[in-house]
Amino acid sequence: RQIEHISPEWVVALYKVFDGKPAAMITALEKLLKEVISPSATDEDKYWALLHVYLQQIDNTERNLIEALSVFHWFEDGLAEHVWTNLGPSGSFLNAWSTVTNLPFVAFSNRGTVFHELYRNALLFHLWRDKRDYYLDISGRAAKYFDSEDPFLKLERAYHLLISDPPNGRALYHDL
């Protein structure tokens, strides 16, 4: 495939994900050009391809945590630990949390930790397309986690219910 199929923004994003390490970037770019990216690829496809290559370098249980946390608009260490425990992983939560918070597509907000929206959308796109039952399960668990009378948390609960249990999500949303 031709290099012109990848926009300059895409190359910059790839460079950032690989922390400016040219050798890793070139290897990933060659793989993407050969196997994944076509002229008709959507942005979600491109960012997912980039993330997929990047996430393959990370421990499987930490990768699962990253995928699960992408379902949330924001998360903090308590929520991340709750998700980690429900995944039934082996290994240390503190190591996994360190991996998550040091990802190049993670930022910190007044609510907690967030994934950059382009990467979060790519992760959600992947989950919906390739692991829908898992996505629905994590969304259902998120709805239970946010079961609260706090209006902000109720809104989060409604969002997750709209995905995992649409009739109850609609009912809760209309009650807000």
Side-chain angles (χ1 to χ4, degrees):
R1 300 214 167 99
Q2 300 290 326
I3 189 79
E4 61 266 12
H5 295 163
I6 300 177
S7 70
E9 294 82 15
W10 178 242
V11 174
V12 169
L14 185 63
Y15 187 76
K16 286 179 181 177
V17 164
F18 285 93
D19 294 326
K21 296 176 184 153
M25 185 186 99
I26 290 167
T27 301
L29 188 55
E30 287 173 349
K31 179 180 172 82
L32 292 172
L33 286 170
K34 289 178 187 171
E35 299 175 12
V36 179
I37 298 178
S38 70
S40 62
T42 65
D43 285 344
E44 289 84 4
D45 288 326
K46 291 175 183 177
Y47 278 98
W48 170 244
L50 171 62
L51 277 172
H52 182 71
V53 169
Y54 184 80
L55 293 174
Q56 294 307 306
Q57 303 173 50
I58 296 173
D59 175 75
N60 194 42
T61 51
E62 292 174 355
R63 186 171 45 250
N64 290 341
L65 178 63
I66 292 164
E67 287 181 343
L69 290 175
S70 72
V71 171
F72 299 89
H73 290 104
W74 54 269
F75 49 90
E76 30 70 31
D77 57 349
L79 174 57
E81 188 166 20
H82 174 78
V83 170
W84 174 260
T85 302
N86 282 298
L87 291 173
S90 59
S92 161
F93 168 72
L94 292 178
N95 289 344
W97 182 242
S98 176
T99 297
V100 168
T101 57
N102 285 298
L103 291 169
F105 50 90
V106 164
F108 303 94
S109 75
N110 60 345
R111 277 278 173 202
T113 308
V114 296
F115 290 134
H116 185 283
E117 277 303 305
L118 291 172
Y119 294 101
R120 180 174 179 263
N121 289 341
L123 279 161
L124 294 175
F125 171 78
H126 153 68
L127 290 174
W128 187 256
R129 186 186 63 200
D130 302 329
K131 296 180 169 184
R132 188 170 299 186
D133 290 341
Y134 179 71
Y135 184 15
L136 295 172
D137 178 58
I138 295 295
S139 293
R141 291 177 190 214
K144 289 177 187 167
Y145 183 84
F146 289 118
D147 190 7
S148 170
E149 291 303 314
D150 176 282
F152 181 77
L153 297 180
K154 268 184 143 171
L155 183 59
E156 283 295 313
R157 178 175 166 75
Y159 167 80
H160 292 291
L161 280 174
L162 284 168
I163 295 167
S164 64
D165 183 1
N168 284 326
R170 280 190 296 276
L172 180 59
Y173 179 77
H174 289 296
D175 288 343
L176 292 175

